[in-house]
Amino acid sequence: MIATSADLHNQDIQLIFDFDKLDVNRLLGLKNKELITAGVISVQIQDKPIRALGLRVSFVWGTHYFEADQFIQYRYQATTLQQSPVQPLQHLQFNFDRDKFHPIV
């Protein structure tokens, strides 16, 4: 959906995997119930200072039930600091009528 919307508006996107996922989880209040694995940006990355969020994000249960899987938790912790190779993003391989999709996206 993100790639389709970006293509519809003639925007490039970049998938990012190399960032402090554990810190993002902490900042967003996700605890171990949600696992951030990647991000998508549609702007030019610039060198500028980064500041912390100005407010605390409350955690809201989506299902009111959670059972931790130790294998998933361990592997997630082990892979959060791995570096990812940079790969070019492939553009969409299908054609669609932009005028029909524009009001939807």
Side-chain angles (χ1 to χ4, degrees):
M1 184 66 167
I2 293 172
T4 303
S5 180
D7 191 57
L8 180 64
H9 296 284
N10 296 317
Q11 297 290 319
D12 289 327
I13 62 170
Q14 182 179 358
L15 302 173
I16 54 172
F17 300 96
D18 297 331
F19 59 93
D20 190 338
K21 297 168 189 76
L22 297 177
D23 200 35
V24 172
N25 277 2
R26 183 185 58 76
L27 288 171
L28 295 177
L30 300 177
K31 303 181 183 185
N32 67 338
K33 316 279 187 290
E34 301 281 343
L35 306 175
I36 301 289
T37 57
V40 178
I41 59 173
S42 182
V43 297
Q44 294 288 331
I45 296 177
Q46 301 174 0
D47 288 329
K48 60 189 239 181
I50 299 171
R51 56 190 169 104
L53 294 174
L55 61 120
R56 185 177 174 96
V57 179
S58 299
F59 178 76
V60 177
W61 282 88
T63 61
H64 300 288
Y65 176 79
F66 176 76
E67 185 175 329
D69 182 312
Q70 294 305 316
F71 177 77
I72 292 173
Q73 299 293 324
Y74 172 77
R75 292 309 306 155
Y76 180 71
Q77 294 282 332
T79 59
T80 56
L81 301 177
Q82 291 179 346
Q83 296 293 311
S84 300
V86 175
Q87 298 178 357
L89 183 65
Q90 299 292 322
H91 287 280
L92 300 175
Q93 301 297 315
F94 61 90
N95 294 317
F96 55 90
D97 186 342
R98 290 178 190 272
D99 292 333
K100 288 182 181 176
F101 276 88
H102 196 275
I104 299 170
V105 179

